């Protein structure tokens, strides 16, 4: 293994350790092929610039191309996200129906969503996907925890943090 590869692994291990020790609330953004890259990049930029811990969670550890070909590397994988589920205040699921099907076949997604909902986290997803939550074992009978959006501006407005007002650029 080259020095640069081992250095990257060590940096990633240190980042993961730091995320695990941090006890502040955080936002998770699920990321898979054909997800809405425009919404994700806008949201991540705004939320991180407001000082809120926000992590892109991937199904795999490689870069994944979103809806318009924009490839994004995840900050963490599902196993690490599960380990910090008690800190999650929001989970954003920025995908259409086809993207949601990718999540349905991954049992760790169901566990993550179920654990975070039990911990009172809010789930944020496109309006058209709200009924798909039941397919991954999340009951939709708690409307305060399920927030839907139809466009990027509504997505930005759905993040509720005390003393933080996100910009809603068109």
């Amino acid at each position: 293994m080259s020095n640069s590869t081992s250095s990257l692994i060590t940096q990633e291990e240190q980042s993961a350790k730091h995320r695990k020790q941090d006890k502040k609330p955080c936002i998770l953004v699920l990321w898979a092929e054909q997800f809405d890259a425009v919404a994700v990049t806008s949201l991540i930029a705004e939320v991180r610039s407001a000082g809120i811990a926000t992590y892109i969670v991937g199904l795999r550890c490689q870069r994944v191309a979103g809806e318009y070909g924009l490839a994004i590397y995840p900050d963490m994988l599902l196993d690490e996200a599960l380990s910090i589920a008690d800190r999650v205040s929001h989970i954003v699921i920025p995908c259409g129906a086809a993207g949601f099907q990718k999540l349905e076949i991954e049992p760790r997604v169901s566990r993550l969503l179920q654990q975070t909902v039990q911990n009172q986290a809010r789930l944020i997803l496109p309006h058209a996907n709200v009924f798909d939550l039941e397919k991954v074992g999340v009951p939709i009978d708690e409307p305060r925890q399920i927030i839907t959006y139809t466009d990027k501006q509504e997505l930005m407005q759905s993040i509720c943090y005390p003393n933080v007002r996100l910009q809603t650029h068109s």
Side-chain angles (χ1 to χ4, degrees):
M1 186 180 323
S2 72
N3 283 343
S4 62
T5 304
S6 63
S7 172
L8 285 173
I9 291 170
T10 302
Q11 289 174 347
E12 180 53 36
E13 288 171 348
Q14 288 174 343
S15 295
K17 184 177 178 183
H18 173 72
R19 287 190 295 260
K20 217 174 211 177
Q21 292 172 343
D22 189 0
K23 297 299 178 195
K24 291 184 286 193
C26 64
I27 296 172
L28 300 181
V29 180
L30 296 184
W31 184 247
E33 294 169 356
Q34 298 303 308
F35 276 32
D36 187 348
V38 173
V40 167
T41 54
S42 299
L43 176 73
I44 294 290
E46 287 295 328
V47 174
R48 286 182 177 172
S49 71
I52 300 169
T54 308
Y55 306 109
I56 299 171
V57 178
L59 305 178
R60 300 185 315 263
C61 65
Q62 61 196 40
R63 72 184 171 136
V64 177
E67 190 174 37
Y68 299 104
L70 178 64
I72 298 176
Y73 284 97
D75 296 311
M76 66 176 66
L77 298 177
L78 283 168
D79 290 330
E80 185 179 352
L82 281 162
S83 75
I84 64 167
D86 61 328
R87 294 183 28 222
V88 175
S89 63
H90 300 73
I91 292 187
V92 181
I93 310 170
C95 65
F100 210 90
Q101 288 175 348
K102 290 176 175 52
L103 300 179
E104 289 175 27
I105 60 173
E106 173 53 68
R108 292 174 301 169
V109 170
S110 294
R111 283 199 312 270
L112 177 64
L113 295 177
Q114 290 166 6
Q115 284 181 16
T116 55
V117 166
Q118 286 175 353
N119 292 334
Q120 304 305 310
R122 292 187 166 108
L123 302 181
I124 302 170
L125 66 160
H127 180 72
N129 291 353
V130 72
F131 295 106
D132 290 330
L133 285 172
E134 290 183 324
K135 294 177 184 174
V136 292
V138 176
I140 59 171
D141 57 356
E142 189 55 61
R144 291 185 319 261
Q145 287 181 257
I146 299 170
I147 302 168
T148 62
Y149 66 93
T150 56
D151 59 27
K152 187 175 79 172
Q153 186 169 0
E154 284 184 0
L155 173 59
M156 296 295 196
Q157 293 169 344
S158 66
I159 303 294
C160 306
Y161 261 77
N163 305 318
V164 173
R165 180 160 176 80
L166 299 177
Q167 300 295 317
T168 54
H169 305 289
S170 299

